[in-house]
Amino acid sequence: MKNSPVSCFLVFGLTFMFGIAACADDLKSRLRGAGVSDPTASKFHDFAELDFKLPEDGAVCKIVAPKKAVAGSPWVWRARFWGHEPAFDIAMLEHGYHLVYCDVVELWGAPKAVERWNRFYALARKIGLGARPVLEGMSRGGTYIFNWAKANPTKVTAIYGDNPLLDLRAFPNGTPEVRAMRKQCLESYGITEAQLPDFKGSPIDGLEALAAAKVPVFLVLGMKDDVVPVTQHADVLETRYKALGGSVTRWAKPEAGHHPHGLDPVTPLVEAVLAAAR
């Protein structure tokens, strides 16, 4: 007797759910083997996700598994704003990449953030993820991805910055809320307003090793951004990086501001990142 459409749908659905469960179980086993206790299974859209605490300091972490990982287990490392404008993340999962997150909220790419990410990177390698992730950062997420990449230039496949904050000297200072964030940012670096003009630890500084490692940079930019103006951040980084022989590709959104983040359609960005990984 032929299978009915309903029975075929049920078989497909059960196979899909068992596939997600198998991915989660495999990840859970590897995490426990690396010293992580009690990873919790959840979902990121239609993909298996595990949530857990980073050993030693308890930072919130997430790993999402593709339905079928490609050889080498490559991964996208997202900084900040988990789940916001996820088109790129979903597309990369569909291409067989893992998606990961390690919370460094309000550390602003300072040395403490880099140190925590170093610990997470070591864990990622222990559980079998690839040696050179793709780094993704929106807005203040730019501080984390560039500062970690500068400290670890041979461990990065590519960098995707989306209206990224790149120069602390040009940190917004307009509203009480923003001024509080600025104060928090400077405190995380251990510097004062008086020291800021001479500060050389912003993402736009010290790009030599990153350029020498030939790490490509991809930028998605709302050109009417009045929160993190392109002229004060992305333009400066692009000019400096290219002067050092680095590669920068940008997609400009002429009428967009700081929001919405992301590229629509996202395909050109995804294809460029995948090409950089070959």
Side-chain angles (χ1 to χ4, degrees):
M1 185 173 68
K2 291 182 178 180
N3 291 330
S4 70
V6 172
S7 65
C8 288
F9 177 79
L10 288 173
V11 169
F12 175 81
L14 288 170
T15 302
F16 177 74
M17 286 189 293
F18 283 131
I20 288 180
C23 288
D25 288 344
D26 179 53
L27 266 179
K28 189 177 292 187
S29 175
R30 284 186 276 157
L31 284 167
R32 285 176 171 158
V36 173
S37 59
D38 300 323
T40 303
S42 59
K43 285 178 66 178
F44 180 84
H45 298 268
D46 289 329
F47 299 89
E49 176 183 322
L50 282 179
D51 306 321
F52 59 95
K53 299 292 181 66
L54 184 66
E56 297 180 45
D57 67 8
V60 172
C61 300
K62 301 173 184 289
I63 298 181
V64 182
K67 295 183 179 72
K68 184 177 181 181
V70 297
S73 296
W75 45 301
V76 173
W77 194 346
R78 175 145 185 171
R80 209 63 175 84
F81 308 116
W82 176 257
H84 180 66
E85 298 291 352
F88 176 77
D89 300 335
I90 292 170
M92 295 302 287
L93 283 162
E94 289 171 345
H95 280 281
Y97 278 60
H98 287 73
L99 174 67
V100 312
Y101 173 83
C102 174
D103 186 12
V104 279
V105 171
E106 314 314 3
L107 291 178
W108 301 95
K112 286 183 181 179
V114 172
E115 290 166 9
R116 180 178 293 173
W117 269 26
N118 285 342
R119 292 194 295 275
F120 183 88
Y121 177 85
L123 174 67
R125 296 292 288 136
K126 275 186 183 178
I127 65 171
L129 296 187
R132 297 172 62 233
V134 173
L135 306 184
E136 174 192 6
M138 297 179 176
S139 190
R140 72 189 78 167
T143 60
Y144 306 105
I145 59 175
F146 277 96
N147 280 356
W148 191 82
K150 289 191 302 179
N152 298 274
T154 62
K155 299 176 182 176
V156 182
T157 290
I159 298 172
Y160 158 39
D162 197 303
N163 283 83
L165 175 66
L166 300 173
D167 186 356
L168 301 189
R169 290 160 292 197
F171 198 107
N173 199 25
T175 66
E177 180 183 8
V178 169
R179 285 195 292 273
M181 287 194 290
R182 180 184 175 107
K183 181 174 182 290
Q184 181 187 65
C185 175
L186 298 188
E187 287 175 350
S188 71
Y189 282 86
I191 60 175
T192 65
E193 286 284 354
Q195 294 169 317
L196 185 57
D198 297 320
F199 180 64
K200 300 298 182 185
S202 289
I204 61 167
D205 299 315
L207 296 166
E208 290 81 4
L210 199 59
K214 300 188 183 304
V215 176
V217 171
F218 302 104
L219 300 173
V220 174
L221 304 170
M223 301 306 290
K224 292 187 177 179
D225 189 344
D226 59 359
V227 178
V228 184
V230 172
T231 55
Q232 296 177 350
H233 295 270
D235 282 353
V236 178
L237 180 129
E238 181 172 351
T239 298
R240 292 185 179 187
Y241 202 57
K242 285 183 173 178
L244 293 166
S247 170
V248 179
T249 303
R250 70 160 62 190
W251 288 268
K253 301 183 290 185
E255 300 304 316
H258 193 62
H259 296 281
H261 290 291
L263 189 64
D264 185 18
V266 76
T267 304
L269 173 62
V270 171
E271 290 179 345
V273 170
L274 291 174
R278 292 189 188 112

